[in-house]
């Protein structure tokens, strides 16, 4: 049994150490908000935070996750969808089919953790998630809007 | 883009028309959703098929079309709510099931969600559904008060008796209303008085998409469910020869390895990761198939461009006489590749089969054809089967009416384990390998110019694959696939083509199609043939205008003189972008009519000395006639550029020895934020008609940018995708 800390809770999972974190989250822990899109760290739909940093969980084996790592998924990003990124996403009505959006939101939240005021160039470099519906124009607006928000939903 | 074809399969099913079996397994659902419509929840009966109102005043609106991101769910609810005059804040939605639709004699009409038809083909009857319910609710209140219904009005789910000021909420009279006969006459509101429809309201389905709560097909979880991964023969048309299941049966979680149909093998395991890992390790032998090579097929397309025989789609005047008299003839050849839908959510279906019933949970664009696929594969009468629709993680035509391959596979797997729910999820590699690909084609465009630079003759010869010949040969018209004529056809070419007609007027015109079909299954792909036909037409017009030495806006407007709507969108986009300004910005234009809507774009680009492209800004204009939700129309226009420009910039499926070479997003890429231009959208509904929204703008995306590239470089990109072509060394 492997011990993990996911969304603030200590959990134990019974899975082969080679299993990608994505599938541990989805199939062992029932956290299906984290999506499978490619399995090769290309699309970003599986993005979660490990100790505050965005990772593509399809490419992180369970063995690479350490005991003290804090894993946060879309389900644990905030209470009641009050994270600034979620508030901005709601305000601009960004999701279309929505399948890529948990990964998109986690990638943006992860970027804002270490770069609270990203420029467009920063965004281009760091947010490389794929969205086939085509929300990208609003995603950029949403990132700039999220920068101005606090978790209470008021301007910072 | 399916409106001109008869769906024989559905015709069969409608003819069957019998009750839905109530028997089946008791299944508990993660996420709390299930097959029951709101009226079964023990509150009140429905007012009519479209509207259920609970005692708590919650209004449940039934949505027959599928939500795959395009916003139709919200738009249809707005239309019903507008006529219902209900409190929008109390509206929720639900999907009736295909089985219920069948049992109720198709009361919800068509479920197929494609061709940008979700709203434009159902606005009338859904509004009537809302209006009829309102009339019945008012009648019920009036009867309770013993006053004439004409003295009562309804607003925000409250009925008021004018003379006395008494009020009652919809929820309090909904049960009475449900007992009334529907009204004979159902007048609809004048759209100028709309307060919910026509407004930029927020989508109804956003909240769960922000926190991971939205359950897609890939997320399905049923009690006792097992998971399957599948591999079909990668060579087109090849079969499964053998597999060595003993090699993987001892791997963790593996329950079963089985052949599926005659061309695939699946592993069933406790988890999908286990199933897929075992499948990867499974020794498999394939046999047969067609060792098709894309590179070899290019010669056939090239031959088709000058072949003597071709299907004529549009002929006006005498094009050869025009060429004989021409002062100048301009020729160009353009080419587009095969492309894959690559929905973010890979194909999947979850199925429980017993000898008496088959239930399937499917993210599908067409519940009725999914039900047909289930019944056929399950070897059960359709009335013993049911499909529960889920929101789609992308559709784009891949999950449409002719592409139930994965559904059929899932049923076959579930049949091998009676009573056990099984979820089949394709790997991304399987999704790339077994698509229904956007057809490849080439076009030779010839323009005849007179001495004054007027376009006196135009011949567009398209050589390429037919979708209908592969999927619905019965829909060919004397051999012609009218879909290949999308946006270039005369309005009377076939029923439904009036919304896909050419809106330019050319004195002498010939558009014909040399059908060349490779052994690759084609499919309807968001925008379908409008995408390349707009490239062919609008890049050619740009070439002709340049050769004639004329302004490209003025030149285009001259040939759309009979279509003020198309002129209006083109002018709007050009003006807002700053067309004609001497400001050093390189601009390109495009305008096209498809799916009943007029669209135009003005793209602005830079190309650096190394030939690297940057699309800086696009101004887009769209006239869909009626605009049900302007902010969602903007979202679809923005998304259309992502879809259309991803294709233009990056996407090509190639076959080698019968196998797709692009196995994942690393080689079949899609636009990222770094490629995304600023998009400014002008929504300019002129009223009086209902056009589509999810697809039409894709047509203008690529040609506007390609024409802007020419403005920047003097070089024409004629071979797509651009990929790593150096734009300064074409």
């Amino acid at each position: 049994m492997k011990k993990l800390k996911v969304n603030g809770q200590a959990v134990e999972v019974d899975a082969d150490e080679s299993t990608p974190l994505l599938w541990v989250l989805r199939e062992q822990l029932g956290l299906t908000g984290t999506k499978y899109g490619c399995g090769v760290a290309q699309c970003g739909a599986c993005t979660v935070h490990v100790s505050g940093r965005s990772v593509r969980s399809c490419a992180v084996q369970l063995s690479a996750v350490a005991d003290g790592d804090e894993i946060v998924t879309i389900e644990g990003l905030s209470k009641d969808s009050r994270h600034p990124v979620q508030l901005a996403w709601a305000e601009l009505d960004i999701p279309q089919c929505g399948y890529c959006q948990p990964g998109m939101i986690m990638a943006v939240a992860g970027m804002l953790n270490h770069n609270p005021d990203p420029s467009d160039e920063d965004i281009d470099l760091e947010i490389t998630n794929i969205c086939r519906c085509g929300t990208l124009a609003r995603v950029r607006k949403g990132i700039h809007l999220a920068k101005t928000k606090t978790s209470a939903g008021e301007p910072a | 883009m399916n409106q001109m074809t008869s769906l024989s399969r559905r015709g069969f099913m409608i003819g069957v028309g019998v009750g839905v079996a109530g028997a089946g397994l008791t299944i508990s659902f993660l996420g709390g959703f299930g097959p029951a419509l709101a009226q079964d929840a023990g509150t009140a009966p429905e007012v009519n098929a479209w509207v259920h109102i609970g005692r708590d005043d919650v209004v449940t609106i039934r949505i027959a079309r599928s939500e795959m991101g395009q916003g139709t769910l919200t738009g249809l609810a707005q239309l019903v709510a507008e006529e219902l005059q209900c409190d929008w804040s109390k509206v929720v939605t639900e999907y009736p099931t295909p089985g219920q639709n069948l049992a109720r004699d198709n009361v919800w009409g068509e479920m197929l969600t494609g061709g940008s038809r979700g709203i434009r083909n159902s606005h009338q009857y859904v509004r009537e559904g809302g209006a009829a319910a309102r009339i019945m609710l008012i009648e019920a209140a009036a009867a309770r008060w013993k006053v004439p219904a004409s003295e009562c009005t309804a607003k925000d789910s409250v009925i008021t008796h004018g003379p006395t000021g008494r009020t009652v909420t919809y929820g309090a009279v909904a049960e009475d209303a449900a007992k009334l006969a529907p009204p004979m006459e159902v007048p609809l509101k004048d759209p100028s008085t709309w307060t919910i429809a026509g407004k930029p309201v927020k989508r109804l389905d956003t909240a769960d998409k922000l926190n991971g709560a939205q359950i897609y097909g890939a997320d399905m979880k049923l009690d006792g469910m097992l998971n399957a991964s599948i591999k079909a023969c990668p060579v087109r048309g090849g079969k499964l020869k053998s597999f060595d299941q003993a090699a993987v049966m001892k791997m963790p979680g593996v329950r079963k390895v089985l052949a599926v149909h005659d061309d695939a093998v699946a592993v069933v395991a406790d988890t999908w990761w286990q199933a897929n890992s075992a499948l990867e390790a499974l020794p498999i032998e394939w046999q047969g198939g067609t060792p098709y090579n894309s590179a070899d097929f290019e010669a056939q397309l090239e031959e088709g461009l000058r072949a003597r025989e071709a299907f004529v789609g549009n002929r006006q005047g005498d094009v050869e006489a025009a060429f004989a008299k021409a002062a100048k003839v301009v020729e160009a050849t353009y080419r587009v590749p095969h492309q894959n839908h690559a929905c973010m959510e890979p194909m999947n279906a979850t199925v429980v089969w017993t000898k008496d019933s088959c239930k399937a949970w499917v993210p599908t664009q067409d519940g009725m054809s999914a039900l047909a696929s289930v019944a056929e594969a399950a070897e059960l009468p359709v009335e013993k089967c049911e499909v529960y629709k889920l929101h789609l993680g992308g559709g784009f035509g891949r999950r449409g009416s002719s592409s139930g391959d994965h559904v059929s596979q899932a049923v076959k797997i579930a049949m091998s384990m009676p009573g056990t729910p099984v979820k089949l999820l394709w790997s991304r590699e399987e999704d790339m390998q077994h698509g229904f690909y956007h057809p490849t084609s080439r076009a030779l465009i010839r323009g005849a110019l007179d001495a004054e630079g007027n376009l006196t003759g135009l011949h567009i010869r398209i050589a390429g694959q037919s979708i209908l010949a592969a999927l619905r040969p019965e829909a060919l018209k004397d051999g012609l696939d009218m879909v290949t004529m999308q946006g270039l056809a005369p309005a009377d070419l076939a029923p439904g083509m009036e919304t896909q007609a050419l809106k330019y007027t050319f004195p002498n015109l010939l558009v014909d199609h040399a059908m060349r079909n490779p052994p690759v299954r084609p499919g309807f792909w968001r925008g379908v043939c409008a995408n390349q036909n707009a490239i062919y037409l609008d890049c050619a017009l740009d070439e002709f205008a340049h050769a004639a030495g004329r302004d490209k806006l003025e030149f285009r407007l001259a040939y759309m003189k009979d279509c003020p709507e198309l002129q209006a969108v083109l002018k709007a986009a050009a003006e807002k972008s700053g067309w004609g300004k001497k400001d050093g910005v390189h601009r390109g234009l495009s305008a096209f009519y498809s799916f009943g809507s007029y669209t135009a774009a003005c793209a602005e680009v830079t190309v650096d000395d190394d030939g690297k492209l940057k699309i800086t800004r696009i101004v887009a204009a769209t006239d869909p006639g009626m605009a049900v939700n302007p902010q969602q129309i903007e979202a679809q226009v923005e998304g259309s550029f992502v879809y259309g420009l991803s294709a233009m910039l990056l996407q090509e499926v190639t076959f080698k020895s019968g196998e797709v070479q692009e196995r994942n997003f690393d080689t079949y890429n899609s636009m990222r934020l770094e490629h995304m231009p600023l998009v400014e959208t002008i929504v300019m509904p002129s009223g009086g008609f209902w056009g589509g929204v999810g697809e039409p703008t894709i047509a203008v995306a690529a040609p506007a940018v390609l024409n802007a590239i020419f403005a920047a470089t003097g070089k024409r990109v004629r071979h797509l995708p651009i990929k790593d072509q150096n734009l300064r060394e074409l």
Side-chain angles (χ1 to χ4, degrees):
Chain A
M1 298 293 271
K2 171 101 175 180
K3 289 180 181 167
L4 296 175
K5 193 169 181 192
V6 180
N7 296 334
Q9 291 195 313
V11 295
E12 291 193 359
V13 295
D14 180 16
D16 190 281
E17 285 280 324
S18 67
T19 307
L21 178 59
L22 167 66
W23 295 102
V24 172
L25 294 170
R26 287 180 58 82
E27 301 196 297
Q28 254 79 26
L29 299 174
L31 296 170
T32 54
T34 305
K35 302 303 184 199
Y36 166 64
C38 69
V40 293
Q42 281 292 317
C43 77
C46 66
T47 305
V48 301
H49 297 169
V50 177
S51 299
R53 295 192 68 83
S54 297
V55 300
R56 292 186 169 172
S57 63
C58 73
V60 177
Q61 291 191 353
L62 189 56
S63 58
V65 182
D67 265 3
D69 287 341
E70 298 260 359
I71 298 164
V72 176
T73 71
I74 186 70
E75 291 91 345
L77 181 63
S78 70
K79 271 188 190 168
D80 306 327
S81 298
R82 302 294 289 171
H83 187 281
V85 177
Q86 290 165 310
L87 292 171
W89 256 235
E91 189 172 325
L92 298 182
D93 225 14
I94 290 176
Q96 292 189 24
C97 89
Y99 191 84
C100 72
Q101 294 299 331
M104 194 76 81
I105 290 167
M106 294 305 287
V108 172
M111 173 176 68
L112 296 179
N113 279 348
H114 68 84
N115 181 0
D117 187 19
S119 65
D120 279 324
E121 291 70 28
D122 296 338
I123 292 168
D124 287 347
L125 281 173
E126 185 152 347
I127 306 303
T128 56
N129 298 39
I130 292 175
C131 169
R132 294 288 291 139
C133 296
T135 61
L136 298 178
R138 286 195 185 186
V139 164
R140 186 184 299 280
K141 287 181 189 160
I143 296 169
H144 289 301
L145 181 61
K147 294 193 306 197
T148 70
K149 289 188 177 293
T150 68
S151 57
E154 298 303 317
Chain B
M1 196 27 229
N2 308 323
Q3 69 268 40
M4 73 292 289
T5 59
S6 65
L7 298 177
S8 57
R9 189 178 246 182
R10 179 179 304 103
F12 157 73
M13 292 201 318
I14 291 166
V16 173
V18 287
V20 179
L25 299 178
T26 302
I27 298 165
S28 65
F29 306 96
L30 188 84
F33 63 89
L37 287 178
Q39 65 178 342
D40 300 326
T43 55
E46 67 182 26
V47 180
N48 63 26
W50 299 99
V51 176
H52 174 274
I53 300 172
R55 289 168 193 151
D56 54 2
D57 285 323
V58 170
V59 176
T60 304
I61 294 175
R62 272 68 177 269
I63 305 294
R65 311 278 180 166
S66 301
E67 179 56 51
M68 48 189 168
Q70 83 283 32
T72 298
L73 176 135
T74 303
L76 289 171
Q78 284 176 267
L79 290 171
V80 174
E82 180 64 53
E83 296 293 342
L84 183 59
Q85 300 267 73
C86 67
D87 180 348
W88 178 248
S89 71
K90 291 183 176 149
V91 168
V92 298
T93 61
E94 66 183 0
Y95 291 136
T97 67
Q100 288 161 338
N101 199 30
L102 198 58
R104 293 178 65 175
D105 200 21
N106 238 30
V107 66
W108 287 287
E110 192 174 24
M111 289 192 158
L112 173 60
T113 312
S116 296
R117 290 180 299 149
I119 285 174
R120 69 186 171 107
N121 279 25
S122 51
H123 62 87
Q124 184 74 21
Y125 57 77
V126 303
R127 284 187 295 155
E128 287 171 355
R134 183 196 71 238
I135 292 167
M136 293 158 75
L137 289 159
I138 290 175
E139 283 179 1
R144 186 176 294 182
W145 291 328
K146 300 189 170 57
V147 301
S150 59
E151 292 179 3
C152 302
T153 56
K155 189 168 185 256
D156 294 338
S157 295
V158 176
I159 301 161
T160 301
H161 179 231
T164 61
R166 279 178 290 184
T167 63
V168 65
T169 67
Y170 278 4
V173 294
E175 283 174 71
D176 290 355
K179 294 172 190 152
L180 299 175
M184 298 297 286
E185 288 193 22
V186 187
L188 297 178
K189 293 170 76 172
D190 181 336
S192 68
T193 66
W194 283 353
T195 59
I196 300 170
K199 305 300 174 196
V201 302
K202 296 279 181 67
R203 295 174 66 113
L204 294 170
D205 54 343
T206 297
D208 284 353
K209 293 176 177 177
L210 300 178
N211 59 14
Q214 180 67 56
I215 299 294
Y216 298 86
D219 305 326
M220 276 299 298
K221 172 94 172 146
L222 301 176
D223 285 351
M225 186 184 82
L226 297 175
N227 290 273
S229 187
I230 197 164
K231 208 179 264 188
C233 181
V235 177
R236 305 301 103 180
K239 305 295 180 199
L240 176 67
K241 184 179 178 191
S242 66
F243 55 91
D244 179 12
Q245 69 183 80
V248 301
M249 279 307 291
K250 292 203 172 83
M251 286 179 69
V254 172
R255 301 291 191 99
K256 192 171 196 123
V257 183
L258 72 155
V260 179
H261 296 303
D262 62 356
D263 63 350
V265 57
V267 176
V268 183
D270 292 339
T271 70
W272 186 83
W273 179 253
Q274 291 168 337
N276 194 59
S277 299
L279 184 63
E280 291 293 317
L282 181 69
I284 308 169
E285 278 192 276
W286 309 106
Q287 62 185 357
T290 308
Y292 167 71
N293 293 311
S294 298
D296 301 341
F297 190 66
E298 297 291 336
Q300 283 191 55
L301 292 178
E302 194 61 32
E303 173 275 325
L305 294 180
R306 308 208 182 248
R308 288 176 61 88
E309 293 191 0
F311 297 110
V312 174
N314 197 348
R315 191 200 301 270
Q316 314 286 334
D318 185 343
V319 78
E320 287 312 320
F323 279 102
K325 286 188 290 188
K328 187 188 267 188
V329 174
V330 180
E331 273 194 19
T333 301
Y334 282 78
R335 176 262 194 190
V336 299
H338 277 117
Q339 285 158 330
N340 193 6
H341 301 82
C343 306
M344 289 305 296
E345 180 195 17
M347 298 302 108
N348 66 81
T350 303
V351 179
V352 190
W353 184 92
T354 69
K355 63 182 173 47
D356 300 317
S357 79
C358 187
K359 297 173 188 294
W361 287 259
V362 189
T364 175
Q365 290 175 242
D366 187 5
M368 299 303 274
S369 75
L371 179 59
S373 294
V374 168
E376 187 179 330
E379 298 168 25
L380 286 169
V382 70
E383 64 270 21
K384 291 185 181 284
C385 301
E386 184 58 291
V387 165
Y388 305 105
K389 298 200 298 178
L390 297 146
H391 284 357
L392 288 68
F396 315 124
R398 177 62 180 87
R399 292 181 157 110
S401 53
S402 304
S403 40
D405 49 348
H406 51 290
V407 179
S408 173
Q409 290 173 341
V411 171
K412 289 299 182 194
I413 296 167
M415 282 173 79
S416 77
M417 312 183 94
T420 298
V422 182
K423 176 167 69 185
L424 171 66
L425 172 66
W426 281 17
S427 66
R428 173 59 59 194
E429 288 77 9
E430 192 70 4
D431 199 272
M432 290 288 183
Q433 191 61 256
H434 294 289
F436 285 75
Y437 302 95
H438 180 66
T440 180
S441 68
R442 287 183 175 222
L444 171 63
I445 307 112
R446 296 161 61 224
L449 296 168
D450 67 14
E452 285 75 47
N454 297 305
L455 183 65
T456 52
L458 172 60
H459 179 199
I460 300 176
R461 161 61 65 84
I462 302 167
Q465 186 171 14
S466 158
I467 301 171
L468 293 185
L471 301 185
R472 295 181 204 144
E474 74 282 2
L476 296 173
K477 187 184 174 193
D478 299 327
L480 169 72
D481 175 350
M482 59 283 241
V483 178
T484 64
M485 293 291 141
Q486 201 186 351
L488 303 176
D492 60 356
L493 180 65
M497 286 304 279
E498 64 276 3
T499 60
Q500 309 284 356
L502 178 70
K503 293 293 181 181
Y504 285 85
T505 305
F506 300 113
N508 299 292
L509 171 71
L510 176 62
V511 187
D512 52 9
H513 184 251
M515 192 184 293
R516 296 292 181 273
N517 292 324
V520 170
R521 64 184 188 187
F524 297 96
W525 196 83
R526 189 178 178 186
V528 199
C529 293
N531 300 2
Q532 68 267 20
N533 288 352
I535 293 170
Y536 299 155
L537 176 65
D538 232 336
C539 290
L541 290 177
D542 215 71
E543 299 212 19
F544 302 154
H546 179 76
R550 288 170 63 178
D551 176 79
K552 288 161 183 169
L553 175 61
E554 174 271 322
F555 185 83
R556 282 184 175 78
L557 292 172
Y559 296 102
M560 48 175 85
K561 60 183 168 55
D562 298 328
C563 187
E565 296 90 347
L566 195 60
Q567 283 197 335
V569 290
L570 180 60
K571 282 183 188 167
E575 279 168 22
K576 186 166 187 193
S577 167
W579 182 264
K581 276 189 192 165
K582 301 276 184 278
D583 55 5
V585 175
H586 305 298
R587 296 185 174 85
L589 295 172
S590 180
F592 209 67
Y593 174 79
S594 59
F595 304 98
S597 288
Y598 303 87
T599 57
C602 185
E604 303 170 10
V605 309
T606 62
V607 179
D608 70 16
D609 291 344
D610 297 326
K612 191 171 175 352
L613 172 70
K614 175 86 181 164
I615 309 166
T616 51
R617 177 189 185 220
I618 293 177
V619 179
T622 182
D623 177 3
M626 303 296 289
V628 175
N629 188 329
Q631 70 97 354
Q632 278 302 302
I633 295 172
E634 286 179 17
Q636 288 306 299
V637 169
E638 292 164 3
S640 294
F641 287 103
V642 176
Y643 206 80
L645 297 180
S646 289
M648 181 200 78
L649 290 168
L650 300 164
Q651 295 176 341
E652 174 171 25
V653 168
T654 56
F655 297 85
K656 195 171 173 189
S657 301
E659 296 189 29
V660 170
Q661 298 302 293
E662 295 75 16
R663 310 282 167 96
N664 208 315
F665 285 120
D666 51 351
T667 44
Y668 189 81
N669 204 352
S670 191
M671 257 173 94
R672 319 287 172 127
L673 267 167
E674 64 167 322
H675 304 111
M676 186 65 199
L678 178 68
V679 175
E680 294 174 24
T681 303
I682 307 165
V683 181
M684 42 192 290
S686 58
F689 63 95
W690 296 72
V693 164
E695 295 167 276
T697 296
I698 295 171
V700 296
V705 171
L706 294 170
N707 292 334
I709 290 171
F710 178 77
T713 64
K715 309 268 189 192
R716 293 280 177 193
V717 183
R718 299 192 181 98
H719 188 104
L720 296 176
I722 291 178
K723 272 195 165 169
D724 48 7
Q725 296 178 70
N726 184 324
L727 298 181
R728 293 205 175 270
E729 292 175 5
L730 293 168

